[in-house]
Amino acid sequence: MIKSYETLPDIQCEKPNIHIPIRQVGVENVEVPFKLESKYGGYHQLIANVSIRTSLDENTKGISMSRLLLTLKPYLDLPLKQTLIKQILEDICANIGSKNSFMKFEFRMPVITKSIKSDNEFPIYYKCKFEGQLFEDNTFKFYQGIRIQYASYCPCSAELCGDLNNKGHKGYPHNQRSFADILIEAYPNTLIWLEDIIELINKNIKTNPLPIIKRIDEQEIARIAAENPMFVEDAIRIISYALDNKKEIYDFYIKCSHEESIHTSEAIAINWKGITNGFSEKREL
């Protein structure tokens, strides 16, 4: 028996007026529930903002946007990981009849964080993302991204305050709420947890924010800050060195942003590893 909707006209089956291939077409800002395994055991039940795109040849007018979501739907009960994203992209190419496909999951992942001196724990929700891209030759690229907050205490301000103190006056160094946006590509068949990246950066950028701060914590934070003042150039060099020396990481791209407290602008620095055919100035986070 023929279903009624099977007899409906479908304009997408017609030929386009202009025969030009489209690099990517699809959907974005799609909210979906998904499951993510934690390095520390168990699974997170999270919500992701998803983008799905695929290529379109010069002889096809359009794609079924709903087919992209229908392809994704059966996988939402499975733990999201690199191999699963590759499988989804392969299914998208098969279902749409395309040569290339792309997918991005953006989400917030909780990490329980302990106060530096007091015995208090509370989650920090880190902005994270997974990106996967499948090419015509079956090459698969997978990237992991994360935004990490830190505090940057200005070396120039600290030096000037020291000069004031020597002259019998008082001054307090200013500091900024700062962020590092990091995108990494691991070597093939290598596992890097998002939690690994967080731990690595927090270990090297020592001025980390905390959810719960008692007076004993705040005093220790002030001590650490005095020992670790940094410009945005210092911060990105510290992070670049840390990532470059982690053997599992094949390539990386970093953008550091310091939200200035006495300037009307933000200070930024961008860096990438610089490997052949790797990340470059063309990349945007």
Side-chain angles (χ1 to χ4, degrees):
M1 180 178 177
I2 298 176
K3 298 178 181 179
S4 60
Y5 64 80
E6 293 177 347
T7 63
L8 293 175
D10 186 358
I11 194 173
Q12 289 176 337
C13 294
E14 298 180 4
K15 298 295 183 182
N17 295 327
I18 300 175
H19 292 265
I20 293 177
I22 301 174
R23 303 291 184 185
Q24 292 186 344
V25 58
V27 295
E28 59 183 23
N29 292 323
V30 179
E31 286 193 329
V32 300
F34 77 102
K35 185 187 297 184
L36 182 69
E37 186 176 3
S38 170
K39 177 185 177 181
Y40 310 121
Y43 294 89
H44 301 296
Q45 296 289 343
L46 303 174
I47 300 293
N49 184 295
V50 177
S51 300
I52 309 173
R53 303 194 289 269
T54 187
S55 60
L56 190 65
D57 65 58
E58 67 275 15
N59 295 314
T60 304
K61 188 174 185 65
I63 68 168
S64 170
M65 301 294 180
S66 293
R67 193 176 295 174
L68 297 173
L69 301 185
L70 288 171
T71 303
L72 171 63
K73 184 179 176 181
Y75 293 97
L76 296 180
D77 292 330
L78 302 175
L80 186 68
K81 52 188 176 181
Q82 179 176 343
T83 53
L84 190 71
I85 289 179
K86 184 174 186 290
Q87 181 62 57
I88 297 170
L89 293 176
E90 289 173 346
D91 286 358
I92 287 172
C93 286
N95 292 341
I96 300 297
S98 58
K99 297 178 180 179
N100 305 284
S101 54
F102 169 88
M103 175 174 288
K104 177 168 63 175
F105 280 76
E106 296 178 295
F107 53 94
R108 289 181 178 268
M109 182 189 70
V111 175
I112 300 298
T113 304
K114 187 175 181 179
S115 298
I116 196 166
K117 285 289 187 180
S118 64
D119 190 24
N120 290 292
E121 293 182 337
F122 206 80
I124 293 179
Y125 278 78
Y126 289 90
K127 288 184 177 179
C128 303
K129 64 181 174 181
F130 289 157
E131 291 185 11
Q133 189 158 10
L134 187 67
F135 298 91
E136 184 177 0
D137 61 359
N138 205 40
T139 300
F140 174 65
K141 289 286 190 178
F142 177 72
Y143 308 114
Q144 299 177 79
I146 191 162
R147 165 170 272 212
I148 297 178
Q149 182 182 335
Y150 59 97
S152 54
Y153 295 80
C154 178
C156 182
S157 179
E159 186 177 41
L160 293 172
C161 287
D163 182 66
L164 280 174
N165 293 336
N166 292 335
K167 294 175 180 177
H169 301 286
K170 289 184 178 180
Y172 294 95
H174 71 91
N175 63 84
Q176 292 82 217
R177 176 173 289 186
S178 305
F179 299 91
D181 290 291
I182 299 165
L183 195 65
I184 68 107
E185 179 184 2
Y187 280 98
N189 303 314
T190 301
L191 173 65
I192 298 180
W193 296 88
L194 289 168
E195 293 92 337
D196 288 338
I197 305 172
I198 294 170
E199 291 172 5
L200 179 66
I201 304 308
N202 286 343
K203 178 182 177 181
N204 286 274
I205 297 287
K206 304 180 187 302
T207 50
N208 308 312
L210 300 167
I212 298 177
I213 297 175
K214 306 293 284 184
R215 281 180 296 173
I216 191 173
D217 302 308
E218 188 162 359
Q219 186 179 60
E220 181 67 3
I221 289 170
R223 183 192 68 79
I224 293 172
E227 295 178 356
N228 295 277
M230 69 184 81
F231 295 120
V232 70
E233 297 92 336
D234 298 315
I236 203 162
R237 284 177 170 135
I238 291 170
I239 296 171
S240 297
Y241 183 82
L243 295 177
D244 198 34
N245 282 276
K246 187 168 180 59
K247 65 181 186 301
E248 297 89 352
I249 294 179
Y250 173 68
D251 199 6
F252 61 77
Y253 185 98
I254 313 162
K255 179 180 179 181
C256 288
S257 305
H258 290 192
E259 296 180 347
E260 295 281 3
S261 58
I262 63 172
H263 298 279
T264 57
S265 57
E266 295 179 3
I268 69 161
I270 296 173
N271 208 15
W272 53 88
K273 190 169 184 178
I275 64 174
T276 303
N277 298 322
F279 292 135
S280 69
E281 67 273 11
K282 297 178 182 179
R283 182 78 200 199
E284 288 290 340
L285 287 172

